[in-house]
Amino acid sequence: MKHLEIEMKTLLSEEEYDRLLAQFSEVTPVTQKNYYLDSPDFYLRQHKIAMRIRTFENSAELTIKIPQKVGNMEYNQSLTLEEAKYCLENCKLPQGLILEELKSRGLSTSGWVVLGCLTTVRYEKETAIGLMALDQSRYFDIVDYELELEVENGDQGSLDFQEFLQANDIHYKKAPSKLVRFIENMKKN
């Protein structure tokens, strides 16, 4: 499955996160573990591609994200937990969409290592302005907080997001992707 992902996001302070959490009181959080894959010399990153295996309680998915003029084209392949475990232990991709997509772009399909794991507790709900996700992420010795809004229209989404932040007294802080934050901190550790 592939879809164009257009999202607005901001990092949050712990205090801002706690305040927003009240708006998600009816939502059951989902814990997801993100395992990032690349070669030791960051081959995919050099090609501006992010690859991860994300595991949930009873399922998993393999994803690559490829930047577009607006947003990212996201390719998702469903995996069982057993398939995900095999991929992570052997650093080998299963047959299917992701392998074919890498091949079709003339990109390497092997030589991966697991860079590490980032665990996110996500509260997600549909709102009038788009799909909103409130995230608490842990990696290395870091805990960070983030608000994401996934939208259909980038221009309108950007306006709606700014209005939401103002209405909730949240100061916009540029949020690099979770992968970028992970890698920056990986280099420090």
Side-chain angles (χ1 to χ4, degrees):
M1 182 184 103
K2 76 176 204 180
H3 80 279
L4 182 64
E5 177 189 66
I6 303 174
E7 58 184 18
M8 314 295 143
K9 49 184 166 188
T10 181
L11 288 172
L12 300 168
S13 68
E14 187 173 1
E15 185 271 331
E16 289 169 331
Y17 172 84
D18 289 340
R19 272 195 289 122
L20 282 179
L21 204 49
Q23 297 184 29
F24 288 78
S25 57
E26 77 289 359
V27 176
T28 304
V30 172
T31 298
Q32 46 195 38
K33 290 186 183 297
N34 300 289
Y35 297 91
Y36 297 111
L37 296 124
D38 204 335
S39 66
D41 62 353
F42 297 110
Y43 172 85
L44 287 174
R45 196 161 154 64
Q46 288 164 26
H47 288 85
K48 303 210 178 329
I49 293 173
M51 180 163 60
R52 69 162 185 243
I53 289 179
R54 177 177 278 173
T55 63
F56 303 94
E57 195 178 348
N58 300 310
S59 64
E61 65 183 10
L62 170 61
T63 300
I64 56 173
K65 292 186 180 191
I66 300 173
Q68 309 294 304
K69 280 194 175 68
V70 175
N72 288 305
M73 190 56 73
E74 191 174 282
Y75 299 83
N76 290 308
Q77 181 175 337
S78 295
L79 301 175
T80 63
L81 287 174
E82 291 71 33
E83 288 169 326
K85 186 172 185 262
Y86 178 84
C87 292
L88 292 166
E89 285 174 357
N90 298 284
C91 293
K92 224 174 140 187
L93 299 182
Q95 291 302 313
L97 175 69
I98 304 300
L99 208 53
E100 293 310 313
E101 197 54 44
L102 291 172
K103 278 183 192 162
S104 75
R105 294 169 180 273
L107 295 167
S108 174
T109 56
S110 61
W112 312 126
V113 293
V114 178
L115 301 176
C117 180
L118 177 148
T119 302
T120 298
V121 176
R122 169 166 284 187
Y123 293 82
E124 190 173 74
K125 69 176 183 179
E126 276 297 344
T127 70
I129 60 173
L131 181 65
M132 201 170 277
L134 187 62
D135 290 348
Q136 177 198 66
S137 296
R138 294 177 183 274
Y139 47 107
F140 306 115
D141 52 358
I142 292 165
V143 179
D144 70 23
Y145 307 93
E146 172 181 30
L147 179 70
E148 289 184 2
L149 177 68
E150 199 167 315
V151 298
E152 299 294 317
N153 177 314
D155 295 334
Q156 185 59 48
S158 185
L159 291 170
D160 291 341
F161 191 58
Q162 293 304 330
E163 276 181 24
F164 179 85
L165 295 182
Q166 283 170 348
N168 287 277
D169 194 25
I170 291 169
H171 298 285
Y172 174 79
K173 291 176 265 326
K174 183 171 170 32
S177 71
K178 287 182 178 71
L179 173 61
V180 168
R181 299 195 316 258
F182 180 88
I183 288 174
E184 281 171 358
N185 285 284
M186 184 174 112
K187 288 175 175 168
K188 288 179 199 165
N189 277 287

